[in-house]
Structures are given as structure tokens and as C-alpha cells.
Short mmCIF file of all heavy atoms in Angstrom, two decimals:
data_model
loop_
_atom_site.label_atom_id
_atom_site.label_comp_id
_atom_site.label_asym_id
_atom_site.label_seq_id
_atom_site.Cartn_x
_atom_site.Cartn_y
_atom_site.Cartn_z
N ALA A 1 89.00 97.00 81.43
CA ALA A 1 88.21 95.79 81.19
C ALA A 1 88.91 94.88 80.18
O ALA A 1 88.93 93.65 80.33
CB ALA A 1 86.81 96.17 80.70
N ALA A 2 89.49 95.49 79.14
CA ALA A 2 90.19 94.69 78.12
C ALA A 2 91.42 94.01 78.70
O ALA A 2 91.73 92.86 78.38
CB ALA A 2 90.58 95.60 76.94
N ILE A 3 92.14 94.72 79.57
CA ILE A 3 93.34 94.14 80.19
C ILE A 3 92.96 93.02 81.15
O ILE A 3 93.62 91.97 81.19
CB ILE A 3 94.15 95.23 80.92
CG1 ILE A 3 94.71 96.22 79.90
CG2 ILE A 3 95.28 94.61 81.73
CD1 ILE A 3 95.37 97.44 80.53
N ASP A 4 91.86 93.21 81.91
CA ASP A 4 91.42 92.16 82.82
C ASP A 4 90.97 90.92 82.07
O ASP A 4 91.16 89.79 82.53
CB ASP A 4 90.28 92.67 83.70
CG ASP A 4 90.76 93.65 84.77
OD1 ASP A 4 91.97 93.65 85.06
OD2 ASP A 4 89.93 94.41 85.29
N GLN A 5 90.35 91.14 80.89
CA GLN A 5 89.90 90.00 80.09
C GLN A 5 91.09 89.19 79.58
O GLN A 5 91.12 87.97 79.69
CB GLN A 5 89.08 90.50 78.91
CG GLN A 5 88.58 89.37 78.00
CD GLN A 5 87.81 89.90 76.81
OE1 GLN A 5 87.63 91.11 76.65
NE2 GLN A 5 87.34 89.01 75.97
N GLU A 6 92.11 89.88 79.06
CA GLU A 6 93.34 89.21 78.61
C GLU A 6 94.44 90.26 78.47
O GLU A 6 94.32 91.18 77.65
CB GLU A 6 93.14 88.50 77.26
CG GLU A 6 94.38 87.76 76.81
CD GLU A 6 94.21 87.08 75.47
OE1 GLU A 6 93.10 87.17 74.90
OE2 GLU A 6 95.17 86.47 75.00
N PRO A 7 95.51 90.16 79.24
CA PRO A 7 96.60 91.13 79.12
C PRO A 7 97.20 91.11 77.71
O PRO A 7 97.42 90.05 77.14
CB PRO A 7 97.63 90.65 80.16
CG PRO A 7 96.84 89.83 81.13
CD PRO A 7 95.76 89.18 80.31
N PRO A 8 97.44 92.29 77.14
CA PRO A 8 98.01 92.34 75.78
C PRO A 8 99.51 92.11 75.80
O PRO A 8 100.16 92.13 76.85
CB PRO A 8 97.68 93.76 75.33
CG PRO A 8 97.73 94.55 76.60
CD PRO A 8 97.18 93.64 77.67
N ALA A 9 100.07 91.90 74.61
CA ALA A 9 101.53 91.78 74.49
C ALA A 9 102.17 93.16 74.58
O ALA A 9 103.33 93.29 74.98
CB ALA A 9 101.91 91.11 73.17
N LEU A 10 101.42 94.21 74.21
CA LEU A 10 101.92 95.59 74.23
C LEU A 10 100.74 96.52 74.39
O LEU A 10 99.67 96.29 73.83
CB LEU A 10 102.68 95.91 72.95
CG LEU A 10 103.11 97.36 72.72
CD1 LEU A 10 104.14 97.79 73.75
CD2 LEU A 10 103.67 97.55 71.31
N LEU A 11 100.93 97.59 75.15
CA LEU A 11 99.88 98.60 75.33
C LEU A 11 100.38 99.93 74.77
O LEU A 11 101.42 100.44 75.20
CB LEU A 11 99.55 98.75 76.82
CG LEU A 11 98.54 99.85 77.21
CD1 LEU A 11 97.18 99.58 76.57
CD2 LEU A 11 98.40 99.93 78.73
N ILE A 12 99.66 100.48 73.77
CA ILE A 12 99.94 101.82 73.24
C ILE A 12 98.88 102.74 73.84
O ILE A 12 97.68 102.58 73.58
CB ILE A 12 99.90 101.84 71.71
CG1 ILE A 12 101.01 100.93 71.15
CG2 ILE A 12 100.07 103.26 71.19
CD1 ILE A 12 101.02 100.86 69.62
N LEU A 13 99.32 103.72 74.64
CA LEU A 13 98.41 104.43 75.53
C LEU A 13 98.54 105.94 75.37
O LEU A 13 99.61 106.51 75.55
CB LEU A 13 98.74 104.02 76.98
CG LEU A 13 97.98 104.70 78.12
CD1 LEU A 13 96.49 104.38 78.04
CD2 LEU A 13 98.55 104.24 79.46
N ASP A 14 97.41 106.60 75.05
CA ASP A 14 97.36 108.05 75.01
C ASP A 14 97.35 108.57 76.45
O ASP A 14 96.63 108.05 77.30
CB ASP A 14 96.10 108.50 74.27
CG ASP A 14 96.07 110.01 74.06
OD1 ASP A 14 97.08 110.67 74.37
OD2 ASP A 14 95.03 110.51 73.60
N ILE A 15 98.12 109.61 76.71
CA ILE A 15 98.23 110.08 78.08
C ILE A 15 97.04 110.92 78.50
O ILE A 15 96.71 111.02 79.68
CB ILE A 15 99.56 110.85 78.28
CG1 ILE A 15 99.96 110.82 79.75
CG2 ILE A 15 99.44 112.26 77.75
CD1 ILE A 15 101.41 111.20 79.99
N TRP A 16 96.35 111.56 77.52
CA TRP A 16 95.17 112.37 77.85
C TRP A 16 93.95 111.68 77.29
O TRP A 16 93.81 111.50 76.08
CB TRP A 16 95.29 113.77 77.25
CG TRP A 16 96.52 114.51 77.69
CD1 TRP A 16 97.57 114.87 76.92
CD2 TRP A 16 96.81 114.97 79.00
NE1 TRP A 16 98.52 115.53 77.66
CE2 TRP A 16 98.08 115.60 78.96
CE3 TRP A 16 96.15 114.92 80.23
CZ2 TRP A 16 98.69 116.16 80.07
CZ3 TRP A 16 96.74 115.47 81.34
CH2 TRP A 16 98.00 116.08 81.25
N LEU A 17 93.01 111.30 78.15
CA LEU A 17 91.81 110.58 77.73
C LEU A 17 90.57 111.36 78.20
O LEU A 17 90.33 111.49 79.40
CB LEU A 17 91.79 109.16 78.34
CG LEU A 17 92.92 108.23 77.91
CD1 LEU A 17 92.89 106.94 78.73
CD2 LEU A 17 92.81 107.91 76.42
N LYS A 18 89.78 111.87 77.22
CA LYS A 18 88.57 112.61 77.55
C LYS A 18 87.50 111.67 78.09
O LYS A 18 87.43 110.50 77.71
CB LYS A 18 88.04 113.33 76.31
CG LYS A 18 88.95 114.41 75.77
CD LYS A 18 88.35 115.05 74.52
CE LYS A 18 89.28 116.11 73.94
NZ LYS A 18 88.73 116.68 72.68
N ASP A 19 86.67 112.19 78.97
CA ASP A 19 85.54 111.44 79.52
C ASP A 19 85.98 110.12 80.15
O ASP A 19 85.30 109.09 80.02
CB ASP A 19 84.50 111.16 78.41
CG ASP A 19 84.00 112.43 77.75
OD1 ASP A 19 83.81 113.43 78.48
OD2 ASP A 19 83.82 112.42 76.52
N SER A 20 87.10 110.14 80.85
CA SER A 20 87.61 108.94 81.51
C SER A 20 87.92 109.23 82.97
O SER A 20 88.29 110.36 83.34
CB SER A 20 88.89 108.44 80.82
OG SER A 20 88.61 107.93 79.54
N GLN A 21 87.76 108.24 83.82
CA GLN A 21 88.05 108.40 85.23
C GLN A 21 89.55 108.40 85.51
O GLN A 21 90.00 108.92 86.52
CB GLN A 21 87.38 107.27 86.03
CG GLN A 21 85.87 107.29 85.94
CD GLN A 21 85.23 106.19 86.77
OE1 GLN A 21 85.90 105.53 87.56
NE2 GLN A 21 83.93 106.00 86.60
N MET A 22 90.32 107.79 84.62
CA MET A 22 91.76 107.68 84.80
C MET A 22 92.46 108.28 83.59
O MET A 22 91.99 108.12 82.45
CB MET A 22 92.18 106.20 84.95
CG MET A 22 91.48 105.47 86.08
SD MET A 22 91.73 103.66 85.97
CE MET A 22 93.49 103.54 86.31
N ASP A 23 93.61 108.96 83.82
CA ASP A 23 94.41 109.40 82.68
C ASP A 23 95.46 108.33 82.38
O ASP A 23 95.51 107.27 83.01
CB ASP A 23 95.04 110.77 82.94
CG ASP A 23 96.02 110.75 84.12
OD1 ASP A 23 96.48 109.66 84.53
OD2 ASP A 23 96.34 111.84 84.64
N GLY A 24 96.32 108.62 81.40
CA GLY A 24 97.30 107.63 80.97
C GLY A 24 98.27 107.21 82.07
O GLY A 24 98.63 106.04 82.18
N ILE A 25 98.69 108.18 82.90
CA ILE A 25 99.62 107.86 83.98
C ILE A 25 98.97 106.94 85.01
O ILE A 25 99.60 105.99 85.51
CB ILE A 25 100.13 109.15 84.66
CG1 ILE A 25 101.00 109.96 83.69
CG2 ILE A 25 100.94 108.81 85.91
CD1 ILE A 25 102.29 109.29 83.29
N ASP A 26 97.69 107.18 85.31
CA ASP A 26 96.97 106.31 86.25
C ASP A 26 96.86 104.89 85.70
O ASP A 26 97.05 103.91 86.44
CB ASP A 26 95.56 106.86 86.53
CG ASP A 26 95.58 108.18 87.27
OD1 ASP A 26 96.55 108.40 88.03
OD2 ASP A 26 94.64 108.98 87.09
N ILE A 27 96.54 104.79 84.40
CA ILE A 27 96.45 103.46 83.79
C ILE A 27 97.82 102.79 83.78
O ILE A 27 97.93 101.59 84.07
CB ILE A 27 95.89 103.57 82.35
CG1 ILE A 27 94.44 104.07 82.38
CG2 ILE A 27 95.98 102.23 81.63
CD1 ILE A 27 93.87 104.37 81.01
N LEU A 28 98.85 103.57 83.47
CA LEU A 28 100.22 103.03 83.46
C LEU A 28 100.58 102.44 84.83
O LEU A 28 101.11 101.33 84.93
CB LEU A 28 101.20 104.13 83.08
CG LEU A 28 102.70 103.80 83.21
CD1 LEU A 28 103.09 102.66 82.29
CD2 LEU A 28 103.53 105.05 82.92
N LYS A 29 100.27 103.17 85.91
CA LYS A 29 100.56 102.68 87.26
C LYS A 29 99.83 101.37 87.53
O LYS A 29 100.41 100.43 88.09
CB LYS A 29 100.15 103.73 88.30
CG LYS A 29 101.01 104.97 88.34
CD LYS A 29 100.48 105.93 89.40
CE LYS A 29 101.32 107.20 89.48
NZ LYS A 29 100.79 108.15 90.51
N ALA A 30 98.55 101.31 87.14
CA ALA A 30 97.76 100.11 87.40
C ALA A 30 98.30 98.91 86.62
O ALA A 30 98.38 97.79 87.13
CB ALA A 30 96.30 100.36 87.04
N VAL A 31 98.69 99.17 85.36
CA VAL A 31 99.21 98.07 84.54
C VAL A 31 100.54 97.56 85.08
O VAL A 31 100.77 96.34 85.19
CB VAL A 31 99.38 98.53 83.07
CG1 VAL A 31 100.14 97.49 82.26
CG2 VAL A 31 98.01 98.79 82.45
N LYS A 32 101.45 98.46 85.45
CA LYS A 32 102.75 98.03 85.96
C LYS A 32 102.61 97.37 87.33
O LYS A 32 103.48 96.59 87.75
CB LYS A 32 103.72 99.21 86.05
CG LYS A 32 103.97 99.92 84.74
CD LYS A 32 104.21 98.96 83.57
CE LYS A 32 105.53 98.23 83.61
NZ LYS A 32 105.75 97.40 82.40
N ARG A 33 101.51 97.66 88.04
CA ARG A 33 101.27 97.02 89.33
C ARG A 33 100.76 95.60 89.13
O ARG A 33 101.26 94.66 89.76
CB ARG A 33 100.23 97.84 90.11
CG ARG A 33 99.83 97.22 91.45
CD ARG A 33 98.65 97.98 92.04
NE ARG A 33 97.45 97.76 91.21
CZ ARG A 33 96.45 98.64 91.10
NH1 ARG A 33 96.50 99.80 91.75
NH2 ARG A 33 95.40 98.37 90.35
N ASP A 34 99.78 95.43 88.25
CA ASP A 34 99.12 94.13 88.12
C ASP A 34 99.67 93.27 86.98
O ASP A 34 99.53 92.04 87.01
CB ASP A 34 97.61 94.32 87.91
CG ASP A 34 96.95 95.02 89.10
OD1 ASP A 34 97.45 94.84 90.22
OD2 ASP A 34 95.95 95.72 88.88
N ASN A 35 100.25 93.90 85.97
CA ASN A 35 100.80 93.15 84.82
C ASN A 35 102.16 93.74 84.44
O ASN A 35 102.31 94.35 83.38
CB ASN A 35 99.83 93.23 83.62
CG ASN A 35 98.49 92.59 83.91
OD1 ASN A 35 98.32 91.39 83.79
ND2 ASN A 35 97.53 93.43 84.28
N PRO A 36 103.14 93.59 85.31
CA PRO A 36 104.43 94.27 85.09
C PRO A 36 105.17 93.84 83.83
O PRO A 36 106.04 94.57 83.37
CB PRO A 36 105.23 93.91 86.35
CG PRO A 36 104.58 92.67 86.87
CD PRO A 36 103.14 92.80 86.55
N ASP A 37 104.82 92.69 83.25
CA ASP A 37 105.51 92.22 82.05
C ASP A 37 104.98 92.86 80.77
O ASP A 37 105.56 92.68 79.70
CB ASP A 37 105.40 90.69 81.92
CG ASP A 37 106.23 89.97 82.96
OD1 ASP A 37 107.20 90.58 83.46
OD2 ASP A 37 105.91 88.81 83.28
N VAL A 38 103.88 93.61 80.86
CA VAL A 38 103.31 94.24 79.66
C VAL A 38 104.02 95.58 79.41
O VAL A 38 103.92 96.49 80.23
CB VAL A 38 101.79 94.48 79.84
CG1 VAL A 38 101.24 95.25 78.63
CG2 VAL A 38 101.06 93.16 80.01
N PRO A 39 104.75 95.71 78.30
CA PRO A 39 105.38 97.00 78.01
C PRO A 39 104.34 98.04 77.59
O PRO A 39 103.36 97.71 76.93
CB PRO A 39 106.34 96.68 76.85
CG PRO A 39 105.77 95.46 76.20
CD PRO A 39 105.05 94.69 77.28
N VAL A 40 104.56 99.28 77.99
CA VAL A 40 103.60 100.37 77.70
C VAL A 40 104.33 101.48 76.96
O VAL A 40 105.34 102.01 77.43
CB VAL A 40 102.98 100.92 79.01
CG1 VAL A 40 101.99 102.04 78.69
CG2 VAL A 40 102.31 99.81 79.80
N VAL A 41 103.80 101.83 75.79
CA VAL A 41 104.31 102.96 75.00
C VAL A 41 103.31 104.10 75.12
O VAL A 41 102.14 103.96 74.76
CB VAL A 41 104.51 102.57 73.52
CG1 VAL A 41 104.92 103.81 72.71
CG2 VAL A 41 105.56 101.48 73.39
N ILE A 42 103.76 105.23 75.66
CA ILE A 42 102.90 106.39 75.85
C ILE A 42 102.96 107.29 74.61
O ILE A 42 104.04 107.56 74.08
CB ILE A 42 103.36 107.20 77.09
CG1 ILE A 42 103.19 106.38 78.38
CG2 ILE A 42 102.60 108.51 77.19
CD1 ILE A 42 101.76 106.15 78.78
N ILE A 43 101.76 107.74 74.16
CA ILE A 43 101.71 108.71 73.07
C ILE A 43 100.91 109.92 73.54
O ILE A 43 100.00 109.80 74.36
CB ILE A 43 101.06 108.12 71.79
CG1 ILE A 43 99.65 107.59 72.08
CG2 ILE A 43 101.93 107.02 71.21
CD1 ILE A 43 98.91 107.10 70.83
N SER A 44 101.27 111.10 73.05
CA SER A 44 100.58 112.32 73.48
C SER A 44 100.76 113.43 72.46
O SER A 44 101.83 113.58 71.87
CB SER A 44 101.11 112.79 74.84
OG SER A 44 100.50 114.02 75.19
N GLY A 45 99.69 114.21 72.28
CA GLY A 45 99.77 115.37 71.40
C GLY A 45 100.19 116.61 72.14
O GLY A 45 100.32 117.67 71.55
N HIS A 46 100.40 116.48 73.45
CA HIS A 46 100.82 117.62 74.26
C HIS A 46 102.10 117.26 74.99
O HIS A 46 102.25 117.51 76.18
CB HIS A 46 99.72 118.00 75.28
CG HIS A 46 98.37 118.15 74.66
ND1 HIS A 46 97.96 119.30 74.02
CD2 HIS A 46 97.33 117.27 74.55
CE1 HIS A 46 96.73 119.13 73.56
NE2 HIS A 46 96.32 117.91 73.87
N GLY A 47 103.01 116.65 74.27
CA GLY A 47 104.22 116.12 74.89
C GLY A 47 105.16 117.20 75.39
O GLY A 47 105.30 118.25 74.77
N ASN A 48 105.75 116.94 76.52
CA ASN A 48 106.85 117.76 77.01
C ASN A 48 107.76 116.87 77.82
O ASN A 48 107.43 115.74 78.14
CB ASN A 48 106.33 118.97 77.82
CG ASN A 48 105.48 118.53 79.01
OD1 ASN A 48 105.92 117.72 79.82
ND2 ASN A 48 104.27 119.08 79.09
#
């Protein structure tokens, strides 16, 4: 909803989101599809 209202200059995105219909990878795909100029930095506490 925030991205649809106004795309940000940068998105800092946690890859694991509790109580959400989409995880970070799903959101990343949607953002790169509809707003490809927005850079996305992924953060995670379970990184591998």
C-alpha cells in the first residue's frame, strides 16, 4: 500500500515477515516488476 501510494527512493526489506501474505522475496519480485528503478536492500536474521 505504501509503495502504491508513492514509490520510495530505496526499500529496506526484511526477508521474513510474520503474519504477512507475502515474504520478502515475493515483495521483491513485485517491486522489480512494477517499480524497477527502486533499489531494494534485503536484511535477514537467518541469512545464508
Side-chain angles (χ1 to χ4, degrees):
I3 293 172
D4 287 341
Q5 179 182 0
E6 183 181 359
L10 172 66
L11 175 62
I12 297 179
L13 176 63
D14 187 7
I15 204 164
W16 303 113
L17 297 172
K18 295 179 182 177
D19 303 321
S20 291
Q21 296 182 11
M22 304 167 67
D23 63 18
I25 293 294
D26 293 331
I27 294 173
L28 172 62
K29 289 179 180 179
V31 170
K32 302 315 289 185
R33 177 189 67 208
D34 298 330
N35 297 277
D37 289 337
V38 175
V40 180
V41 175
I42 295 291
I43 57 175
S44 175
H46 310 278
N48 58 54

